[in-house]
Amino acid sequence: MTKLGVIADDFTGATDIASFMVNAGWRVVLFNGVPAQTFEAVNIDAIVIALKSRSIPVKDAVSQSLAAANWLKAQGCERQFFKYCSTFDSTAQGNIGPVTDALMENLETRMTLVCPAVPDNGRTIVHGHLFVKGELLNESGMQHHPVTPMTQSSLKKLMEAQSVGLCGNISLDAIKNHPQQIAARMAESNAKYMIFDVLDNSDLLTVARETSAFPLVTGAAGLGYAIATLDVQQQPLPRSPIKIEAKGFSVILSGSCSSMTNQQVDFYQQRASALALNVEKIIHDEGYIQSVISWVCAHASEALAPLVYATQPPQLIEIIHKNYGPEFVSEKIECFFSALAQQLNEAGFNKFIVAGGETSGAVVQGLNINGMVIGDTVAPGVPWTQALGEKKWVILKSGNFGTSDFFLKAQEHFDE
């Protein structure tokens, strides 16, 4: 029986937690959306379902999450994990709180865990406050996020503002010095959501151990790693990593405009062929995609994969958005990348390195990938994946993940 079913509120978040669990020793399969059919999960420890529910209307997010939960139950996943961003990306209306409440009711549990901590990525919790690399969440730059501005670091205040129930807190002192008292404290509490302080991975292991009987837990990828690690310690299992064949062509598609992706694009274009997309042509010229495809194919046989990027510095993004509107531009670029991936695949490209959450979703849709096996990690939270039953490999990178040489490192995993 599958040990855990994960419902992730965006695509790169899904690959993030899947990668962490694979690194701990689990065998993981990921689906893009709720599958239409059943899945025979033979020798699979966890099933991850990637939704796009982070910033859609609350009603839709709840509906999609419940559909995922019911499908996972039908596959034998009695224990479930609602995965959201380690910076708790949400608004005062949701969607983390409403989805959590709906899943708790669905699984008939009175208490759940709220744990966005990922110490490996600098996400820690002290006195119930979320820190990002030593800075309070609301002082980390996330307060300027255009869709989900995080202007508060207290997880209690964040959660209670968008949910129906009270938050409790298990202090760092209890975690490190009195773990034997945690179960009694939770039993005596009238809280619906329990926040654990976390400074390091040993704290996460304590959290996972003390909440192992919870039918539902919520949080970020670090908790997934801890849950898988505890299980593997009890019963180590053999794992067969996926092989990424060098045969065929590879391409890099970058749509993220994060500061790290800008660094990665700058680093790579000094070493390999790179093409900056013309947003005006994407919007106005229907034939533009063919010229881009021709350019990519002309550079397909080079030692390093060609890079196609819409990544732009903030000042240029501001001008483009001012002229056309951010939603219109984003939709046009996503549609372009989706069509580009589809046509490149038909031209013989079978390895896609993708930067950006929205771009990742668009590429997966264009490649018609419904499910994938999770392979080796290139950077924390960023694995290679293989489409189920196909010789098609994709790496999906959230904007700020990886180091400046990420695109080079990704290609080191190809097998001759």
Side-chain angles (χ1 to χ4, degrees), residues 23 73 78 98 106 298 353 362 379:
N23 284 345
K73 281 199 290 187
E78 292 300 325
N106 186 272
I353 301 169

Side-chain angles (χ1 to χ4, degrees), residues 64-82:
Q64 291 181 24
S65 300
L66 287 176
N70 289 331
W71 186 89
L72 288 168
K73 281 199 290 187
Q75 314 314 304
C77 301
E78 292 300 325
R79 190 171 194 228
Q80 297 184 9
F81 187 134
F82 173 37

Side-chain angles (χ1 to χ4, degrees), residues 146-160:
V147 180
T148 54
M150 305 308 297
T151 58
Q152 172 64 254
S153 64
S154 167
L155 289 171
K156 174 180 172 65
K157 291 181 179 179
L158 287 168
M159 190 66 181
E160 290 182 352

